[in-house]
Amino acid sequence: MKKYLAAGAATAIAAGALAIPALAATKTVQVKDNVFVAKKITVSKGTTVKWVWKGKAPHNVKVTKGPAKFGSKTQVKGSFAKKLTKAGTYTIVCTIHAPGMKMTVKVK
Ligand SMILES: [Cu+2]
C-alpha cells in the first residue's frame, strides 16, 4: 500500500511539472530581411508569440486582419511578444516591406 502511494505522488509531481511549460507556451518567429520565418504558424489559444529581429534592416510587426489588432514599433534588433488569447487567423505584415513580408498566425 505504501509503495502505491509513493508511485501515485511521483506521477502527480511529474504531471504538474509538465503542465507548467504548457501554460507558458511561447512560439518564436524570426524577423529577417525581408521575411518572417516561419511564414505560417499554428498555436493554441494563450500562446505568446515572440518575434525576434535577426536582420540588418528595420522591420515591424503589424496585424492587418484578425480577431485582435496589435503591432510593434519599427526596430532593427530586439524582440516583440504578444499573448494571443482570441482564436482565429491573424494576417501580419511588416508595413515597410509589405505585401512581400507577410505571415499568418492561426490561433485555435
Ligand atoms: Cu520589413
Side-chain angles (χ1 to χ4, degrees):
M1 188 61 188
K2 207 171 185 180
K3 207 172 186 180
Y4 282 108
L5 282 173
T11 305
I13 291 162
L18 288 172
I20 294 162
L23 286 171
T26 300
K27 179 82 181 169
T28 301
V29 174
Q30 294 180 60
V31 181
K32 295 189 164 181
D33 303 323
N34 297 321
V35 65
F36 292 109
V37 180
K39 284 187 169 188
K40 259 185 195 172
I41 60 168
T42 300
V43 299
S44 302
K45 211 158 46 165
T47 300
T48 296
V49 178
K50 186 180 180 188
W51 286 265
V52 180
W53 273 247
K54 296 282 189 185
K56 289 189 166 75
H59 302 287
N60 60 45
V61 167
K62 191 185 181 202
V63 174
T64 55
K65 209 169 128 187
K69 295 286 166 77
F70 57 85
S72 76
K73 57 185 188 197
T74 298
Q75 57 198 60
V76 175
K77 53 185 175 180
S79 65
F80 170 74
K82 183 75 185 174
K83 187 175 182 176
L84 303 181
T85 55
K86 290 181 181 172
T89 301
Y90 297 71
T91 301
I92 293 162
V93 300
C94 162
T95 60
I96 300 165
H97 302 107
M101 195 170 171
K102 182 179 165 184
M103 72 169 296
T104 57
V105 178
K106 194 172 177 183
V107 179
K108 59 179 189 181

